[in-house]
PDB file of all heavy atoms in Angstrom:
ATOM      1  N   PHE A 146     -13.578 -10.108  -6.498  1.00 98.00           N
ATOM      2  CA  PHE A 146     -13.464 -10.583  -5.113  1.00 98.00           C
ATOM      3  C   PHE A 146     -14.389 -11.758  -4.786  1.00 98.00           C
ATOM      4  O   PHE A 146     -14.463 -12.184  -3.636  1.00 98.00           O
ATOM      5  CB  PHE A 146     -13.697  -9.435  -4.123  1.00 98.00           C
ATOM      6  CG  PHE A 146     -12.555  -8.424  -4.048  1.00 98.00           C
ATOM      7  CD1 PHE A 146     -12.769  -7.150  -3.553  1.00 98.00           C
ATOM      8  CD2 PHE A 146     -11.280  -8.769  -4.472  1.00 98.00           C
ATOM      9  CE1 PHE A 146     -11.730  -6.227  -3.491  1.00 98.00           C
ATOM     10  CE2 PHE A 146     -10.247  -7.864  -4.421  1.00 98.00           C
ATOM     11  CZ  PHE A 146     -10.461  -6.582  -3.928  1.00 98.00           C
ATOM     12  N   ARG A 147     -15.093 -12.282  -5.790  1.00 96.00           N
ATOM     13  CA  ARG A 147     -15.878 -13.500  -5.531  1.00 96.00           C
ATOM     14  C   ARG A 147     -14.995 -14.737  -5.716  1.00 96.00           C
ATOM     15  O   ARG A 147     -15.419 -15.857  -5.478  1.00 96.00           O
ATOM     16  CB  ARG A 147     -17.072 -13.597  -6.494  1.00 96.00           C
ATOM     17  CG  ARG A 147     -17.971 -12.355  -6.531  1.00 96.00           C
ATOM     18  CD  ARG A 147     -18.978 -12.333  -5.405  1.00 96.00           C
ATOM     19  NE  ARG A 147     -19.824 -11.126  -5.522  1.00 96.00           N
ATOM     20  CZ  ARG A 147     -20.189 -10.385  -4.503  1.00 96.00           C
ATOM     21  NH1 ARG A 147     -19.837 -10.674  -3.285  1.00 96.00           N
ATOM     22  NH2 ARG A 147     -20.963  -9.327  -4.687  1.00 96.00           N
ATOM     23  N   ASP A 148     -13.760 -14.503  -6.209  1.00 97.00           N
ATOM     24  CA  ASP A 148     -12.879 -15.617  -6.524  1.00 97.00           C
ATOM     25  C   ASP A 148     -11.865 -15.882  -5.384  1.00 97.00           C
ATOM     26  O   ASP A 148     -11.172 -14.954  -4.938  1.00 97.00           O
ATOM     27  CB  ASP A 148     -12.110 -15.267  -7.807  1.00 97.00           C
ATOM     28  CG  ASP A 148     -11.244 -16.375  -8.290  1.00 97.00           C
ATOM     29  OD1 ASP A 148     -10.092 -16.483  -7.807  1.00 97.00           O
ATOM     30  OD2 ASP A 148     -11.680 -17.133  -9.166  1.00 97.00           O
ATOM     31  N   LYS A 149     -11.810 -17.139  -4.942  1.00 97.00           N
ATOM     32  CA  LYS A 149     -10.979 -17.508  -3.774  1.00 97.00           C
ATOM     33  C   LYS A 149      -9.494 -17.225  -3.982  1.00 97.00           C
ATOM     34  O   LYS A 149      -8.840 -16.663  -3.098  1.00 97.00           O
ATOM     35  CB  LYS A 149     -11.118 -19.011  -3.488  1.00 97.00           C
ATOM     36  CG  LYS A 149     -12.281 -19.350  -2.595  1.00 97.00           C
ATOM     37  CD  LYS A 149     -12.227 -20.805  -2.225  1.00 97.00           C
ATOM     38  CE  LYS A 149     -13.460 -21.475  -2.808  1.00 97.00           C
ATOM     39  NZ  LYS A 149     -13.414 -22.814  -3.236  1.00 97.00           N
ATOM     40  N   ILE A 150      -8.990 -17.611  -5.152  1.00 98.00           N
ATOM     41  CA  ILE A 150      -7.539 -17.434  -5.426  1.00 98.00           C
ATOM     42  C   ILE A 150      -7.217 -15.925  -5.460  1.00 98.00           C
ATOM     43  O   ILE A 150      -6.220 -15.476  -4.887  1.00 98.00           O
ATOM     44  CB  ILE A 150      -7.144 -18.059  -6.797  1.00 98.00           C
ATOM     45  CG1 ILE A 150      -7.662 -19.493  -6.892  1.00 98.00           C
ATOM     46  CG2 ILE A 150      -5.653 -17.932  -7.061  1.00 98.00           C
ATOM     47  CD1 ILE A 150      -6.801 -20.531  -6.220  1.00 98.00           C
ATOM     48  N   PHE A 151      -8.078 -15.194  -6.121  1.00 97.00           N
ATOM     49  CA  PHE A 151      -7.908 -13.737  -6.235  1.00 97.00           C
ATOM     50  C   PHE A 151      -7.816 -13.118  -4.820  1.00 97.00           C
ATOM     51  O   PHE A 151      -6.914 -12.341  -4.515  1.00 97.00           O
ATOM     52  CB  PHE A 151      -9.086 -13.150  -7.007  1.00 97.00           C
ATOM     53  CG  PHE A 151      -8.826 -11.807  -7.599  1.00 97.00           C
ATOM     54  CD1 PHE A 151      -8.426 -11.701  -8.931  1.00 97.00           C
ATOM     55  CD2 PHE A 151      -8.964 -10.656  -6.853  1.00 97.00           C
ATOM     56  CE1 PHE A 151      -8.165 -10.460  -9.499  1.00 97.00           C
ATOM     57  CE2 PHE A 151      -8.713  -9.413  -7.393  1.00 97.00           C
ATOM     58  CZ  PHE A 151      -8.319  -9.301  -8.716  1.00 97.00           C
ATOM     59  N   VAL A 152      -8.773 -13.491  -3.987  1.00 98.00           N
ATOM     60  CA  VAL A 152      -8.813 -12.950  -2.620  1.00 98.00           C
ATOM     61  C   VAL A 152      -7.606 -13.400  -1.811  1.00 98.00           C
ATOM     62  O   VAL A 152      -7.015 -12.623  -1.050  1.00 98.00           O
ATOM     63  CB  VAL A 152     -10.160 -13.284  -1.933  1.00 98.00           C
ATOM     64  CG1 VAL A 152     -10.137 -12.932  -0.459  1.00 98.00           C
ATOM     65  CG2 VAL A 152     -11.298 -12.560  -2.628  1.00 98.00           C
ATOM     66  N   ALA A 153      -7.173 -14.653  -2.011  1.00 98.00           N
ATOM     67  CA  ALA A 153      -5.994 -15.154  -1.286  1.00 98.00           C
ATOM     68  C   ALA A 153      -4.773 -14.273  -1.608  1.00 98.00           C
ATOM     69  O   ALA A 153      -3.985 -13.934  -0.703  1.00 98.00           O
ATOM     70  CB  ALA A 153      -5.712 -16.611  -1.643  1.00 98.00           C
ATOM     71  N   ILE A 154      -4.653 -13.881  -2.888  1.00 98.00           N
ATOM     72  CA  ILE A 154      -3.534 -13.022  -3.289  1.00 98.00           C
ATOM     73  C   ILE A 154      -3.657 -11.653  -2.618  1.00 98.00           C
ATOM     74  O   ILE A 154      -2.679 -11.065  -2.151  1.00 98.00           O
ATOM     75  CB  ILE A 154      -3.499 -12.894  -4.849  1.00 98.00           C
ATOM     76  CG1 ILE A 154      -3.139 -14.266  -5.444  1.00 98.00           C
ATOM     77  CG2 ILE A 154      -2.486 -11.827  -5.285  1.00 98.00           C
ATOM     78  CD1 ILE A 154      -3.311 -14.369  -6.941  1.00 98.00           C
ATOM     79  N   TYR A 155      -4.878 -11.142  -2.527  1.00 98.00           N
ATOM     80  CA  TYR A 155      -5.094  -9.833  -1.904  1.00 98.00           C
ATOM     81  C   TYR A 155      -4.827  -9.867  -0.413  1.00 98.00           C
ATOM     82  O   TYR A 155      -4.283  -8.924   0.160  1.00 98.00           O
ATOM     83  CB  TYR A 155      -6.522  -9.306  -2.215  1.00 98.00           C
ATOM     84  CG  TYR A 155      -6.500  -8.481  -3.459  1.00 98.00           C
ATOM     85  CD1 TYR A 155      -6.304  -9.097  -4.700  1.00 98.00           C
ATOM     86  CD2 TYR A 155      -6.582  -7.107  -3.415  1.00 98.00           C
ATOM     87  CE1 TYR A 155      -6.188  -8.358  -5.842  1.00 98.00           C
ATOM     88  CE2 TYR A 155      -6.481  -6.336  -4.556  1.00 98.00           C
ATOM     89  CZ  TYR A 155      -6.289  -6.961  -5.774  1.00 98.00           C
ATOM     90  OH  TYR A 155      -6.166  -6.216  -6.906  1.00 98.00           O
ATOM     91  N   VAL A 156      -5.210 -10.984   0.228  1.00 98.00           N
ATOM     92  CA  VAL A 156      -4.965 -11.106   1.683  1.00 98.00           C
ATOM     93  C   VAL A 156      -3.447 -11.181   1.915  1.00 98.00           C
ATOM     94  O   VAL A 156      -2.915 -10.477   2.786  1.00 98.00           O
ATOM     95  CB  VAL A 156      -5.678 -12.349   2.258  1.00 98.00           C
ATOM     96  CG1 VAL A 156      -5.259 -12.624   3.682  1.00 98.00           C
ATOM     97  CG2 VAL A 156      -7.208 -12.147   2.180  1.00 98.00           C
ATOM     98  N   ALA A 157      -2.754 -11.976   1.092  1.00 98.00           N
ATOM     99  CA  ALA A 157      -1.291 -12.083   1.238  1.00 98.00           C
ATOM    100  C   ALA A 157      -0.637 -10.718   1.008  1.00 98.00           C
ATOM    101  O   ALA A 157       0.266 -10.316   1.740  1.00 98.00           O
ATOM    102  CB  ALA A 157      -0.763 -13.099   0.256  1.00 98.00           C
ATOM    103  N   GLY A 158      -1.132  -9.977   0.000  1.00 98.00           N
ATOM    104  CA  GLY A 158      -0.578  -8.654  -0.305  1.00 98.00           C
ATOM    105  C   GLY A 158      -0.773  -7.699   0.866  1.00 98.00           C
ATOM    106  O   GLY A 158       0.139  -6.945   1.240  1.00 98.00           O
ATOM    107  N   ALA A 159      -1.974  -7.745   1.481  1.00 98.00           N
ATOM    108  CA  ALA A 159      -2.265  -6.845   2.611  1.00 98.00           C
ATOM    109  C   ALA A 159      -1.396  -7.171   3.822  1.00 98.00           C
ATOM    110  O   ALA A 159      -0.900  -6.272   4.513  1.00 98.00           O
ATOM    111  CB  ALA A 159      -3.742  -6.916   2.963  1.00 98.00           C
ATOM    112  N   ILE A 160      -1.165  -8.476   4.043  1.00 98.00           N
ATOM    113  CA  ILE A 160      -0.314  -8.875   5.188  1.00 98.00           C
ATOM    114  C   ILE A 160       1.130  -8.436   4.941  1.00 98.00           C
ATOM    115  O   ILE A 160       1.779  -7.901   5.856  1.00 98.00           O
ATOM    116  CB  ILE A 160      -0.407 -10.408   5.420  1.00 98.00           C
ATOM    117  CG1 ILE A 160      -1.812 -10.769   5.915  1.00 98.00           C
ATOM    118  CG2 ILE A 160       0.643 -10.864   6.450  1.00 98.00           C
ATOM    119  CD1 ILE A 160      -2.124 -12.254   5.979  1.00 98.00           C
ATOM    120  N   ALA A 161       1.593  -8.614   3.706  1.00 98.00           N
ATOM    121  CA  ALA A 161       2.952  -8.186   3.366  1.00 98.00           C
ATOM    122  C   ALA A 161       3.083  -6.685   3.582  1.00 98.00           C
ATOM    123  O   ALA A 161       4.082  -6.205   4.146  1.00 98.00           O
ATOM    124  CB  ALA A 161       3.277  -8.557   1.926  1.00 98.00           C
ATOM    125  N   LEU A 162       2.061  -5.948   3.179  1.00 98.00           N
ATOM    126  CA  LEU A 162       2.087  -4.473   3.316  1.00 98.00           C
ATOM    127  C   LEU A 162       2.103  -4.067   4.804  1.00 98.00           C
ATOM    128  O   LEU A 162       2.853  -3.199   5.214  1.00 98.00           O
ATOM    129  CB  LEU A 162       0.852  -3.883   2.604  1.00 98.00           C
ATOM    130  CG  LEU A 162       0.741  -2.363   2.574  1.00 98.00           C
ATOM    131  CD1 LEU A 162       1.957  -1.750   1.884  1.00 98.00           C
ATOM    132  CD2 LEU A 162      -0.522  -1.946   1.820  1.00 98.00           C
ATOM    133  N   ALA A 163       1.277  -4.756   5.599  1.00 98.00           N
ATOM    134  CA  ALA A 163       1.215  -4.460   7.022  1.00 98.00           C
ATOM    135  C   ALA A 163       2.574  -4.737   7.704  1.00 98.00           C
ATOM    136  O   ALA A 163       3.072  -3.909   8.470  1.00 98.00           O
ATOM    137  CB  ALA A 163       0.117  -5.297   7.697  1.00 98.00           C
ATOM    138  N   LEU A 164       3.173  -5.871   7.372  1.00 98.00           N
ATOM    139  CA  LEU A 164       4.481  -6.203   7.953  1.00 98.00           C
ATOM    140  C   LEU A 164       5.534  -5.208   7.530  1.00 98.00           C
ATOM    141  O   LEU A 164       6.361  -4.730   8.342  1.00 98.00           O
ATOM    142  CB  LEU A 164       4.905  -7.606   7.511  1.00 98.00           C
ATOM    143  CG  LEU A 164       4.378  -8.796   8.322  1.00 98.00           C
ATOM    144  CD1 LEU A 164       4.786 -10.099   7.673  1.00 98.00           C
ATOM    145  CD2 LEU A 164       4.923  -8.723   9.763  1.00 98.00           C
ATOM    146  N   HIS A 165       5.530  -4.853   6.248  1.00 98.00           N
ATOM    147  CA  HIS A 165       6.511  -3.930   5.689  1.00 98.00           C
ATOM    148  C   HIS A 165       6.436  -2.581   6.399  1.00 98.00           C
ATOM    149  O   HIS A 165       7.433  -2.006   6.783  1.00 98.00           O
ATOM    150  CB  HIS A 165       6.233  -3.790   4.197  1.00 98.00           C
ATOM    151  CG  HIS A 165       7.400  -3.275   3.397  1.00 98.00           C
ATOM    152  ND1 HIS A 165       8.480  -4.062   3.101  1.00 98.00           N
ATOM    153  CD2 HIS A 165       7.647  -2.062   2.830  1.00 98.00           C
ATOM    154  CE1 HIS A 165       9.347  -3.348   2.376  1.00 98.00           C
ATOM    155  NE2 HIS A 165       8.856  -2.119   2.215  1.00 98.00           N
ATOM    156  N   LEU A 166       5.204  -2.107   6.624  1.00 98.00           N
ATOM    157  CA  LEU A 166       5.023  -0.798   7.253  1.00 98.00           C
ATOM    158  C   LEU A 166       5.260  -0.849   8.761  1.00 98.00           C
ATOM    159  O   LEU A 166       5.632   0.168   9.358  1.00 98.00           O
ATOM    160  CB  LEU A 166       3.614  -0.258   6.951  1.00 98.00           C
ATOM    161  CG  LEU A 166       3.477   0.366   5.578  1.00 98.00           C
ATOM    162  CD1 LEU A 166       2.049   0.762   5.297  1.00 98.00           C
ATOM    163  CD2 LEU A 166       4.372   1.595   5.439  1.00 98.00           C
TER     164      LEU A 166
END
Side-chain angles (χ1 to χ4, degrees):
F146 287 160
R147 307 278 181 222
D148 183 276
K149 273 188 244 148
I150 309 278
F151 200 96
V152 170
I154 293 169
Y155 269 71
V156 171
I160 293 171
L162 184 58
L164 275 175
H165 200 74
L166 280 175

